[in-house]
């Protein structure tokens, strides 16, 4: 029995593999520890990629496109996940953390069955073999951040081993690219999940308290007359 029953149990971050057709979870991967930091980057998809140099210069950007976006921003995430078998003494670990590492590695590997199918098609003389489709991958960071992603980086640093050389401690550098409606076909379950993720951002932005021009030393006349 815990000494502090009123302290809520922390929600874990994780990865969910989803059948894109049925929408049913195929596998749920819960990170043992929530990462201490998250590095996020958003790159806007501007319609005018090359801006004019000003003053009638030779810039090739279209001035009519300066305020337009071609689609959602390209968003990437980076974080470090820790796996430590010594923190789970009550759980038998005859293979160390091999199973946990293999589970994450298989997120970027096709299965042997799919590879054998591709090899059989190649032996039959099939001219074009379609790339192997992976399950839809969702990254979850609480209920307000559930998004379709593609893993772009998986770097593993194993730092401790048992007597049989099974790894028992490792840190993983994981990079993710958020998949948007620009990456997925219309009607795809992942595209709908991205729209839900973006709608959540809109709701949170609407809840933020707006500022006042006076705090910037301005008034509405300054903005309207272009004095700034």
């Amino acid at each position: 029995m815990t000494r502090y029953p009123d302290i809520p149990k922390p929600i874990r971050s994780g990865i969910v593999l989803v059948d894109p057709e049925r929408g049913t979870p195929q596998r749920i991967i819960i990170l043992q520890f929530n990462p201490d930091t998250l590095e996020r980057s958003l790159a806007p998809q501007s319609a005018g990629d090359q801006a004019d140099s000003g003053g009638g210069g030779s810039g090739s950007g279209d001035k009519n496109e300066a305020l337009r976006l071609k689609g959602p921003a390209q968003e990437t995430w980076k974080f470090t996940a820790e796996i430590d078998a010594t923190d789970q003494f009550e759980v038998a670990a005859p293979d160390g953390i091999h199973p946990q590492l293999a589970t994450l590695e298989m997120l970027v590997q096709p299965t042997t069955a799919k590879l054998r199918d591709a090899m059989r098609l190649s032996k039959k003389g099939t001219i074009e073999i379609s790339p192997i489709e992976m399950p839809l991958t969702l990254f979850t960071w609480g209920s307000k951040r559930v998004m379709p992603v593609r893993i772009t980086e998986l770097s593993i640093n194993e730092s401790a081993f048992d007597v049989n050389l099974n790894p028992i401690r490792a840190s993983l550098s994981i990079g993710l690219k958020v998949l948007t409606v620009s990456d997925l076909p219309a009607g795809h379950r992942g595209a709908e999940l991205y729209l839900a993720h973006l709608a959540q951002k809109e709701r949170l932005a609407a809840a933020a308290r707006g500022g006042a021009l006076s705090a910037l030393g301005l008034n509405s006349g300054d903005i309207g007359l272009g004095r700034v």
Side-chain angles (χ1 to χ4, degrees):
M1 183 175 180
T2 179
R3 293 176 56 191
Y4 306 102
D6 296 333
I7 298 178
K9 187 177 181 180
I11 294 175
R12 296 296 181 191
S13 56
I15 295 171
V16 182
L17 300 184
V18 177
D19 184 316
E21 297 295 331
R22 300 180 179 86
T24 54
Q26 293 183 325
R27 185 150 201 173
I28 299 171
I29 302 169
I30 300 173
L31 298 183
Q32 185 179 358
F33 308 104
N34 286 333
D36 291 329
T37 61
L38 294 173
E39 180 183 342
R40 302 194 299 121
S41 175
L42 286 87
Q45 291 196 75
S46 303
D49 291 332
Q50 295 181 346
D52 188 30
S53 59
S58 59
S60 59
D62 187 342
K63 296 179 181 180
N64 294 322
E65 303 294 327
L67 301 180
R68 297 181 183 275
L69 296 174
K70 294 185 291 186
Q74 297 296 305
E75 183 175 356
T76 58
W77 289 51
K78 286 186 178 181
F79 60 89
T80 299
E82 305 286 343
I83 304 177
D84 191 342
T86 62
D87 191 66
Q88 304 179 93
F89 285 116
E90 72 280 5
V91 179
D95 299 316
I97 59 171
H98 269 308
Q100 294 93 321
L101 293 178
T103 298
L104 291 168
E105 290 178 52
M106 288 307 298
L107 296 176
V108 294
Q109 297 271 23
T111 63
T112 54
K114 290 183 177 181
L115 287 173
R116 290 185 186 281
D117 287 341
M119 292 169 62
R120 278 193 289 269
L121 289 173
S122 178
K123 287 182 178 180
K124 289 180 180 179
T126 303
I127 297 176
E128 183 177 354
I129 299 174
S130 299
I132 297 171
E133 184 174 4
M134 300 292 285
L136 175 62
T137 303
L138 304 181
F139 178 66
T140 71
W141 186 271
S143 61
K144 295 179 179 63
R145 287 173 169 174
V146 179
M147 66 210 84
V149 298
R150 179 173 66 239
I151 295 179
T152 58
E153 176 187 341
L154 181 59
S155 178
I156 303 170
N157 181 14
E158 300 176 1
S159 57
F161 305 86
D162 65 15
V163 294
N164 294 315
L165 292 183
N166 295 311
I168 57 174
R169 187 184 306 122
S171 61
L172 299 90
S173 177
I174 300 177
L176 306 172
K177 178 186 183 299
V178 178
L179 298 179
T180 73
V181 293
S182 299
D183 303 304
L184 298 164
H188 191 281
R189 191 170 301 275
E192 295 300 321
L193 286 165
Y194 172 76
L195 290 174
H197 168 62
L198 187 60
Q200 178 69 271
K201 286 181 182 286
E202 293 170 356
R203 288 190 290 271
L204 292 171
R209 183 178 179 180
L213 284 175
S214 59
L216 305 175
L218 304 173
N219 58 52
S220 58
D222 292 329
I223 300 296
L225 295 177
R227 291 174 181 167
V228 294

